Amino acid sequence: KNRTEQLEIEGIINERGEAINDIIEKLYKLDMDSQSQKRLKELKDELGSYRQARKEEILLIQNGKLEEAQKLASTLQKDRFEKIRLIATEMDDIAIKDSDNQLVIDQQQANSATLLFLVLGIAALFFSIAMIMLLNKTIAQPLTEITKIAVLIGDGDLNIELPVNERKDEVGILLQNFGRMVNVLKGMAATAQKIASGDLTGSIVPQSEKDLLGNAFLQMLNNLRRILKDITDSVNLLASSSCEILAATTQVASGSAE
């Protein structure tokens, strides 16, 4: 029975030893500084010596040499265990210190990232405001001016002046076409004033075949000229006839007097 218990205890010790070896191997794979690697090697060496002495201790116990086994455990093994404990404690302190340092570094990096995002956010905000102001100046204001001009035209007021336009974009093209429309309307209005005062010498030039207002205005002007010509011809004919009638009447009167 004692032998069986010894074997079970020995198996448990070996399993724990293997587990410790696995942990040490994993620690070797970590990115540690030279001091930590040195202490880890010392720990591994001390554990190896401790395990070797423990095997000798177990062998002494199995051979019945309990006093020698006890002496080994209380002297050399005790010193080795204490050294292993000190190394493990020191490495634990180093790990805690490294963890705290890493935490401080991570916090600093997080603060820097937060500050960077804040700066970028403020810069993006100012950039957006600047873009809005630029768009308002380059698009909204000209469109507002065009709207005011359109209202005046709708009210029949053509005494307007378009702003100087040197733009080449869509807004500039819109201003150019709007100015052209205003000039055409002004020309028609001037011709209409001449017609109203009896002057039919004005000219109308339609902008295209689809210019309904221009073509209708030109047709009206031509019709008025034709009507005026017909009236003039009729008046001339009537004047000529009157002269002839007057001459004939004079002759008849002269004949009667004789």
Side-chain angles (χ1 to χ4, degrees), residues 73-92:
S74 60
T75 55
L76 185 60
Q77 286 293 79
K78 183 179 179 181
D79 294 338
R80 286 174 177 166
F81 180 80
E82 183 64 20
K83 188 173 182 180
I84 291 172
R85 188 187 67 81
L86 291 175
I87 294 175
T89 302
E90 181 182 350
M91 292 189 67
D92 182 62

Side-chain angles (χ1 to χ4, degrees), residues 35 63 65 75 96 100 107 162 190 257:
Q35 181 182 0
N63 292 332
K65 299 178 181 181
T75 55
I96 293 174
D100 293 339
Q107 186 64 39
L162 289 174

Side-chain angles (χ1 to χ4, degrees), residues 145-157:
E145 293 295 328
I146 293 174
T147 302
K148 292 179 180 179
I149 293 173
V151 172
L152 292 175
I153 293 174
D155 293 336
D157 184 4

Side-chain angles (χ1 to χ4, degrees), residues 63-76:
N63 292 332
K65 299 178 181 181
L66 298 179
E67 291 182 2
E68 294 182 13
Q70 187 177 6
K71 182 179 179 181
L72 179 62
S74 60
T75 55
L76 185 60

Side-chain angles (χ1 to χ4, degrees), residues 84-151:
I84 291 172
R85 188 187 67 81
L86 291 175
I87 294 175
T89 302
E90 181 182 350
M91 292 189 67
D92 182 62
D93 293 339
I94 293 174
I96 293 174
K97 183 178 179 182
D98 291 341
S99 177
D100 293 339
N101 292 335
Q102 187 62 42
L103 182 62
V104 172
I105 294 173
D106 292 341
Q107 186 64 39
Q108 291 176 348
Q109 291 178 347
N111 293 336
S112 299
T114 302
L115 180 61
L116 177 61
F117 282 124
L118 181 61
V119 172
L120 291 177
I122 294 175
L125 177 61
F126 280 108
F127 178 76
S128 300
I129 294 174
M131 287 297 297
I132 292 173
M133 294 176 64
L134 179 62
L135 291 175
N136 180 64
K137 182 178 180 181
T138 57
I139 297 178
Q141 290 182 359
L143 292 179
T144 302
E145 293 295 328
I146 293 174
T147 302
K148 292 179 180 179
I149 293 173
V151 172

